[in-house]
Amino acid sequence: MNLNILDLLPNEIMECWKEIQDPAVIHNERMALYANDSFLELFGINRLEELNSREMGEFISPWSPFHVRAGMREAMGRRRDGDNMDVMVVTSPLTAKDGLLYSTILQDIGQQKSWEEKVLQGERLAAMGKLAGEIAHEINNPLGGILLYANLLKDDICHDSVALENISKIVKLATRCRIIAKGLLNFGRTPSQSCMTVDLNQVIREMFSLLEDHKMFRDVDVRMDLQADLPHIMADKGQMEQAMLNLMVNAGEAMDGEGVMTIRSYSLRAERRVCVAVQDTGPGVDDEIKTRIFEPFFSTKPFGKGTGLGLSITYGIVQRHRGRITVEDAPGGGAIFMITLPADI
Ligand SMILES: Nc1ncnc2c1ncn2[C@@H]1O[C@H](COP(=O)(O)OP(=O)(O)OP(=O)(O)O)[C@@H](O)[C@H]1O
Ligand SMILES: [Mg+2]
């Protein structure tokens, strides 16, 4: 391949082209012919000569050599280290001495994409939260009626009748539905928050004391690494308890009875924030699931086992406290759920 691009393109075009700061490449339908330093750096190519006999499809995907499209489009940049990146690709035709060549400029839009995804996810959660709240509201009232009449029936039925047992089941199940509906209402609307000074370490210990005898934690090694002088936060204690409980229950359920659950609390003085991380040694969370994990009703548990509300409610609680919740892969497997909250440090 002729790397002296000046043999192919007029000098004036090249002078202008060399002004481009973004990664840029000159190519024909199939092969890359010439690239600027930013392009070489982006794709980990040490010398221009190494561009020799490299197909454009090795750098940009999708790439159709039979139909080079002039204009702007989103594509995937394929780096040599195997990492893909979102790029905006602008291709323009260049009139060469013996035919047509093309110039393609790339812009890394990974950051922009990830912000777009976050905004979209936030909007989707807000819309689903509103819908869930409305449905819960509609369900809550008839449920109240069902409970009332079931209780009235109970009073009318003689004590040794089989019907009494059945009605008690109706009352029990309807009560469970009401608890679920209440959780949904809390997710959908902003509940009145009673803020007080809260010691998160105390919340963690108290909530774990409710769970430690449960069979879910019987063979689980629980490690608490709680910062002794953790600054207190202004929060609704009941909601914090619910958030911690949800994370611990999820960790326990993920480990299926054995493993290590580590709960850490620490402060980030510079950011005036406190953090709580709940880590488990369960199967971890797939990347695909991570994008949906905070949605109401998203659950991978068998029907009847999980409502898929725990994390969406926790997300709502953290948001209302101007905090953040994230999920990461734990080194060596498992998941880490991390809550960060503002503190008056
Ligand atoms: N620690 C964890 N490890 C692995 N997966 C998890 C973990 N925590 C949550 N998940 C995944 O996220 C899903 C949603 O969790 P969430 O707490 O919202 O609902 P759930 O636990 O399925 O049901 P619910 O909490 O309402 O009983 C779970 O079904 C599970 O797939
Ligand atoms: Mg759960």
Side-chain angles (χ1 to χ4, degrees):
M1 183 190 309
N2 189 352
L3 272 177
N4 189 357
I5 200 76
L6 287 177
D7 290 346
L8 301 172
L9 285 168
N11 210 357
E12 309 80 65
I13 291 185
M14 281 317 290
E15 287 306 312
C16 293
W17 195 82
K18 281 180 177 160
E19 301 278 309
I20 299 169
Q21 304 287 321
D22 287 319
V25 56
I26 293 175
H27 53 91
N28 57 26
E29 277 81 0
R30 186 181 284 275
M31 312 300 284
L33 303 175
Y34 187 83
N36 65 7
D37 290 346
S38 316
F39 185 93
L40 299 180
E41 196 183 321
L42 184 67
F43 289 101
I45 301 170
N46 298 325
R47 289 174 314 127
L48 194 53
E49 286 72 22
E50 286 176 31
L51 206 63
N52 247 338
S53 64
R54 299 279 298 271
E55 298 204 0
M56 284 302 289
E58 289 180 49
F59 303 115
I60 296 167
S61 168
W63 185 269
S64 164
F66 309 108
H67 178 56
V68 176
R69 280 192 285 161
M72 191 153 71
R73 68 184 171 106
E74 275 184 32
M76 196 69 86
R78 306 162 116 181
R79 285 222 293 248
R80 193 175 265 187
D81 56 14
D83 263 5
N84 285 337
M85 54 191 239
D86 291 305
V87 284
M88 183 62 80
V89 171
V90 184
T91 301
S92 347
L94 299 173
T95 313
K97 285 173 187 159
D98 53 358
L100 198 61
L101 293 181
Y102 301 89
S103 155
T104 289
I105 305 173
L106 283 80
Q107 246 175 15
D108 184 351
I109 53 165
Q111 187 66 26
Q112 186 189 329
K113 278 280 235 197
S114 97
W115 281 115
E116 270 172 23
E117 264 157 33
K118 283 206 176 87
V119 169
L120 266 178
Q121 198 193 1
E123 277 175 4
R124 203 169 56 206
L125 279 174
M128 288 184 87
K130 191 164 170 284
L131 187 70
E134 283 164 8
I135 295 171
H137 184 75
E138 291 299 312
I139 289 175
N140 207 27
N141 291 340
L143 266 180
I146 292 173
L147 271 171
L148 176 76
Y149 287 109
N151 277 317
L152 286 176
L153 264 178
K154 232 170 128 182
D155 293 342
D156 291 344
I157 281 173
C158 63
H159 285 282
D160 49 2
S161 131
V162 187
L164 184 68
E165 216 176 283
N166 290 339
I167 291 177
S168 299
K169 280 183 192 153
I170 293 176
V171 171
K172 222 168 130 192
L173 290 171
T175 308
R176 184 167 147 67
C177 289
R178 266 206 128 177
I179 294 171
I180 295 172
K182 200 161 162 261
L184 268 179
L185 275 171
N186 278 348
F187 178 77
R189 69 157 96 107
T190 313
S192 55
Q193 235 161 274
S194 55
C195 272
M196 55 164 97
T197 314
V198 174
D199 175 1
L200 277 177
N201 285 348
Q202 190 196 352
V203 171
I204 292 167
R205 287 194 195 97
E206 280 175 9
M207 288 306 104
F208 183 64
S209 72
L210 298 179
L211 296 173
E212 61 188 333
D213 294 327
H214 196 284
K215 68 174 187 309
M216 185 171 27
F217 285 100
R218 210 168 288 155
D219 292 319
V220 169
D221 179 6
V222 178
R223 299 175 191 166
M224 299 259 183
D225 179 8
L226 309 180
Q227 182 181 312
D229 58 346
L230 189 76
H232 292 180
I233 58 166
M234 285 303 288
D236 182 311
K237 189 165 181 237
Q239 291 186 24
M240 283 300 132
E241 289 174 347
Q242 195 177 357
M244 294 304 151
L245 204 58
N246 287 346
L247 295 189
M248 291 180 203
V249 169
N250 277 351
E253 286 174 339
M255 289 184 292
D256 205 16
E258 41 180 337
V260 183
M261 176 170 78
T262 312
I263 305 182
R264 283 186 207 91
S265 70
Y266 51 94
S267 55
L268 300 167
R269 293 208 169 261
E271 294 177 33
R272 299 162 77 93
R273 286 182 161 253
V274 292
C275 294
V276 175
V278 179
Q279 179 172 346
D280 61 59
T281 53
V285 184
D286 286 353
D287 284 345
E288 203 188 318
I289 289 181
K290 278 196 193 104
T291 60
R292 302 197 50 205
I293 205 163
F294 298 111
E295 285 177 9
F297 300 116
F298 176 79
S299 177
T300 56
K301 290 168 191 165
F303 184 71
K305 278 269 161 105
T307 58
L309 284 178
L311 282 180
S312 58
I313 288 171
T314 308
Y315 180 92
I317 291 173
V318 174
Q319 285 275 307
R320 283 196 287 281
H321 286 82
R322 291 178 295 120
R324 236 181 14 235
I325 178 164
T326 54
V327 53
E328 283 167 26
D329 300 328
I336 310 177
F337 283 83
M338 182 123 71
I339 290 181
T340 317
L341 293 158
D344 208 4
I345 303 178

